[in-house]
Amino acid sequence: MTARGDFSRQSFLGEDAEQVLAETRVAIVGLGGGGSHIAQQLAHVGVGHFRLIDPQDIEDSNLNRLVGATQDDVINGTPKVEIAKRVIRSVRPWADVEVSKTEWQAAADLLKDAHVVFGCVDGYRQRMHLETAARRFCLPYIDVGMDVTRLADRHYAVAGQMISTRPGGPCMRCLGFLTQQRLDREENDYADAGINPQVVWTNGTLASLAVGAFMRLLTPWFDSSTEFEWLELDGNNQLVSRSRQPDYSIKGPCRHFTSNDLGDPFLDLSLRRAPKDSS
Amino acid sequence: MMNDAGGALAGAVIEPELAAIAAICSGTVKYMEEAGRRYVHMVGLRFLVRGADQQMDALLCLDYPNGTYPTKLYLPANLGLGLNWNETAFILAKNWFTWSWSGVSPNQPPLAILGGHLEAFR
């Protein structure tokens, strides 16, 4: 047992895994049904640094799935990032947790500071923007999302996906997940956005897949040479399978993000003052 | 020339078709690209909002891939005004607001595209 805790049950991850995880900084965007699960699991595996971003306070309708939330939180209107911070610290009191109760676009400093970004946001367009940000800062991006589609009267399809992409590899547009048709439909029909159904067990399954993808990135327990993962969850039949869509969609190297799109294009070193001569 | 914080610097090269836009900006006006899309970035764009002077940086997308919104103007702040603000975007490592303002054709000079979007604030 170390000062951080006893990680012997996950020693198969590699002799340096505990140190690697303790030094890793993760950004989680969205601390609702998916993000709260991910935060909790990452605390358990021993991640040491968290950057949590979500503008919302908890509401009564979140209690069906938000890990760590209580009725008192609903009464007090506790920010979701504070609930996640509390969960993380209750597991790992030594964890470094920075929170931002803002839209993620206003917290780019926290994204830049991370090694891996988890996206738990609503909608295709926000996923597109968040992956764009991750690419610009050269960060692996792990996305989760679920949906419930009404097929007929009292007949619903529950489905979700976990997609992991890396700089230099195919992006979610290359994979065929972020299609122009989906992006356009969401933008053109923005006024029709309704309540997005979410349930705890599906969120939890997808979060576990996301944490699995993260662990494969950081620890050598399993060969993770693939440039991406897209796992589909058939929530009705409780089945997880590899998506076949990339087999038909990927057409060569990523054409959406080039090496010119890296870093802050507005960084102007000429504005930095030269150090004063101390002589 | 000028730096991105504003203020003219001698010798700046401005694309001829952007000169008219540069005349209403206090800082640099230049093309930029991200994810295969072409933008005009404007420092200190001066424009009218309900008759009052405003000045802020702006980003004009010239080839937005949506037939309903083939071009878009992004601003660093939500100006309100009852417009249907519908997106907080992250472009060129900055946070931008944009709104639903449809039908401004890309098949016209950049100044005309910009003017088409600034109509929303008149």
Side-chain angles (χ1 to χ4, degrees):
Chain A
M1 180 172 163
T2 69
R4 296 193 186 96
D6 183 348
F7 290 90
S8 58
R9 295 296 185 100
Q10 57 185 48
S11 60
F12 73 95
L13 294 172
E15 60 184 52
D16 298 330
E18 180 184 337
Q19 189 70 22
V20 168
L21 290 166
E23 293 175 354
T24 297
R25 298 187 295 275
V26 299
I28 305 175
V29 180
L31 275 303
S36 63
H37 266 287
I38 290 170
Q40 182 193 46
Q41 291 194 29
L42 294 180
H44 280 291
V45 299
V47 168
H49 303 270
F50 292 82
R51 311 292 182 247
L52 310 177
I53 308 166
D54 193 311
Q56 295 181 333
D57 298 328
I58 188 173
E59 298 175 351
D60 196 18
S61 63
N62 303 138
L63 266 188
N64 78 322
R65 64 193 185 280
L66 202 147
V67 168
T70 66
Q71 186 65 49
D72 281 349
D73 287 326
V74 174
I75 294 168
N76 297 327
T78 308
K80 292 179 179 177
V81 288
E82 294 296 340
I83 295 169
K85 181 177 181 177
R86 186 178 68 209
V87 169
I88 293 165
R89 285 278 178 77
S90 67
V91 178
R92 305 295 180 197
W94 45 265
D96 159 43
V97 185
E98 289 189 34
V99 303
S100 179
K101 187 177 176 295
T102 59
E103 301 286 349
W104 67 265
Q105 290 92 338
D109 54 328
L110 293 188
L111 290 184
K112 291 179 196 173
D113 188 44
H115 295 114
V116 179
V117 176
F118 288 88
C120 312
V121 296
D122 293 329
Y124 295 110
R125 301 192 56 75
Q126 284 303 302
R127 287 180 160 80
M128 175 190 71
H129 286 304
L130 188 51
E131 187 185 41
T132 300
R135 291 282 170 138
R136 183 160 282 286
F137 302 136
C138 218
L139 302 171
Y141 177 67
I142 302 175
D143 184 281
V144 295
M146 70 159 286
D147 204 0
V148 177
T149 305
R150 184 176 180 275
L151 301 176
D153 187 33
R154 302 180 69 179
H155 187 192
Y156 296 89
V158 179
Q161 77 287 326
M162 187 288 297
I163 299 177
S164 168
T165 66
R166 306 180 197 181
C171 67
M172 291 197 290
R173 278 189 271 180
C174 296
L175 299 181
F177 176 70
L178 293 180
T179 63
Q180 198 59 47
Q181 185 181 25
R182 282 175 166 166
L183 294 167
D184 289 354
R185 188 189 309 135
E186 188 174 275
E187 182 171 34
N188 298 347
D189 299 344
Y190 67 92
D192 297 331
I195 295 173
N196 184 23
Q198 298 281 319
V199 289
V200 67
W201 67 91
T202 307
N203 286 157
T205 303
L206 294 167
S208 296
L209 296 175
V211 173
F214 168 82
M215 296 302 287
R216 286 172 55 171
L217 274 176
L218 265 70
T219 62
W221 63 281
F222 188 80
D223 178 25
S224 181
S225 57
T226 58
E227 292 181 305
F228 68 91
E229 281 187 270
W230 179 352
L231 299 177
E232 294 177 326
L233 171 64
D234 171 354
N236 286 19
N237 296 299
Q238 307 272 50
L239 291 173
V240 176
S241 57
R242 183 181 73 84
S243 173
R244 301 290 304 275
Q245 185 62 46
D247 299 342
Y248 308 107
S249 298
I250 295 177
K251 297 176 175 60
C254 179
R255 61 194 182 281
H256 306 101
F257 299 101
T258 70
S259 57
N260 293 329
D261 293 339
L262 293 176
D264 183 348
F266 297 103
L267 182 65
D268 186 351
L269 294 175
S270 69
L271 295 176
R272 292 175 179 264
R273 291 183 179 175
K276 290 182 179 177
D277 187 351
S278 58
S279 61
Chain B
M1 286 181 62
M2 59 188 67
N3 58 44
D4 278 342
L9 302 176
V13 177
I14 296 176
E15 304 286 344
E17 67 275 21
L18 299 184
I21 293 179
I24 54 172
C25 294
S26 65
T28 52
V29 176
K30 61 184 178 184
Y31 287 118
M32 300 186 79
E33 291 190 3
E34 182 182 72
R37 288 183 200 154
R38 198 168 200 215
Y39 299 91
V40 177
H41 182 257
M42 297 157 273
V43 173
L45 172 67
R46 291 185 289 266
F47 59 104
L48 292 175
V49 176
R50 303 291 188 264
D53 289 330
Q54 281 279 349
Q55 182 169 335
M56 63 183 65
D57 295 354
L59 191 66
L60 184 66
C61 182
L62 302 174
D63 54 359
Y64 194 73
N66 180 332
T68 307
Y69 305 97
T71 61
K72 267 188 179 282
L73 180 65
Y74 297 88
L75 297 175
N78 185 343
L79 299 186
L81 304 174
L83 296 169
N84 286 321
W85 293 85
N86 66 355
E87 188 166 73
T88 306
F90 194 78
I91 303 169
L92 295 162
K94 283 181 180 280
N95 187 21
W96 301 95
F97 289 93
T98 190
W99 65 98
S100 54
W101 191 254
S102 63
V104 181
S105 169
N107 301 315
Q108 51 185 338
L111 180 65
I113 297 174
L114 176 62
H117 285 283
L118 292 178
E119 281 288 316
F121 302 115
R122 292 190 66 178

